[in-house]
Amino acid sequence: MKFKFSIIGITAVLIAMFVMNTIENGFEPLKLIAIILIAAFLFWVDHKLERPISRASIKDNMRNRK
C-alpha cells in the first residue's frame, strides 16, 4: 500500500473535524457515513494502484533488460 499512512492521516483529520463539528452542532450520522465511505474509497484506490511483485515477475524483468 503506497499511500497507507497518508490515507490514515486524511481520515484522522476528517474524524477530528467531525468531532469538532459534533461538539458545536450535534451528531449528524450522514457526515460520519461520508467519512467512512471516503476512507474506504481511498483504501480501495490504493489497493488497485498496488502492483504485485513476485519472483517470476522479477526474473522476467531481469531477462528483458539484458
Side-chain angles (χ1 to χ4, degrees), residues 1 3-4 6-8 10-11 14 35-49:
M1 298 185 133
F3 305 108
K4 181 179 179 182
S6 60
I7 293 171
I8 291 171
I10 291 168
T11 306
L14 288 174
I35 292 171
I36 293 169
L37 289 176
I38 289 170
F41 176 73
L42 291 175
F43 274 110
W44 177 79
V45 167
D46 184 48
H47 179 72
K48 290 296 178 183
L49 290 175

Side-chain angles (χ1 to χ4, degrees), residues 2-62:
K2 293 181 178 182
F3 305 108
K4 181 179 179 182
F5 293 113
S6 60
I7 293 171
I8 291 171
I10 291 168
T11 306
V13 169
L14 288 174
I15 289 173
M17 290 171 56
F18 173 74
V19 168
M20 290 176 57
N21 189 24
T22 301
I23 292 171
E24 292 175 2
N25 300 324
F27 181 71
E28 296 179 31
L30 188 60
K31 290 183 181 181
L32 181 60
I33 292 170
I35 292 171
I36 293 169
L37 289 176
I38 289 170
F41 176 73
L42 291 175
F43 274 110
W44 177 79
V45 167
D46 184 48
H47 179 72
K48 290 296 178 183
L49 290 175
E50 200 173 289
R51 190 174 126 205
I53 299 175
S54 64
R55 285 187 175 189
S57 68
I58 292 172
K59 287 180 183 178
D60 289 340
N61 286 338
M62 294 301 284

